[in-house]
Amino acid sequence: MEARYNFLNIPIMAKYYVLKGLSIELGPQIGFLLSAEQENEVQNIDVKDRLKSIDFEVNFGIAYKFSNGLSFGLRYNAGLTNINDVTGFLDENRYGVVQLSIGYFLRK
């Protein structure tokens, strides 16, 4: 069985430069559940009513910005909220996300 949860996440991040170009990031994030489906052999089932509509997470990461404007980042989002809203459905339902970012700054 496969499940798909779609959240709108809003991070509030602090960035601290430890060396020129190298930074660490830390901050909270709130997520709003947009949709949730579980797929079985026959059909997709809407399970949004079985989950909490708001999720809280903590984010931390590392990034590097080169002098030419190119940047790379790696971030981990750790879910703090048990998003299960039905007793006996799943005891604990938390998630974590690994993000890799590549960017380019137009101003140096």
Side-chain angles (χ1 to χ4, degrees):
M1 184 178 298
E2 184 176 312
R4 276 184 236 109
Y5 304 150
N6 294 304
F7 284 86
L8 172 64
N9 292 317
I10 302 171
I12 302 170
M13 300 296 293
K15 181 180 276 198
Y16 178 74
Y17 283 91
V18 292
L19 298 171
K20 181 177 175 79
L22 180 66
S23 63
I24 55 174
E25 305 169 334
L26 179 67
Q29 177 170 295
I30 186 169
F32 299 96
L33 181 64
L34 301 177
S35 66
E37 291 183 342
Q38 285 186 342
E39 180 181 310
N40 61 24
E41 298 81 28
V42 180
Q43 65 184 357
N44 290 344
I45 303 166
D46 185 355
V47 293
K48 187 175 177 184
D49 60 336
R50 298 179 187 173
L51 302 172
K52 293 179 181 163
S53 59
I54 296 178
D55 177 44
F56 295 98
E57 302 172 33
V58 64
N59 301 329
F60 50 92
I62 188 167
Y64 191 82
K65 179 182 169 190
F66 292 93
S67 59
N68 65 1
L70 186 63
S71 68
F72 294 93
L74 181 64
R75 186 184 292 173
Y76 181 72
N77 307 342
L80 302 175
T81 305
N82 175 13
I83 61 173
N84 175 29
D85 203 22
V86 177
T87 305
F89 178 60
L90 290 173
D91 292 334
E92 291 284 324
N93 193 0
R94 302 176 202 277
Y95 66 90
V97 177
V98 175
Q99 295 175 318
L100 175 64
S101 63
I102 301 172
Y104 183 77
F105 289 83
L106 297 176
R107 291 186 181 183
K108 296 180 186 172

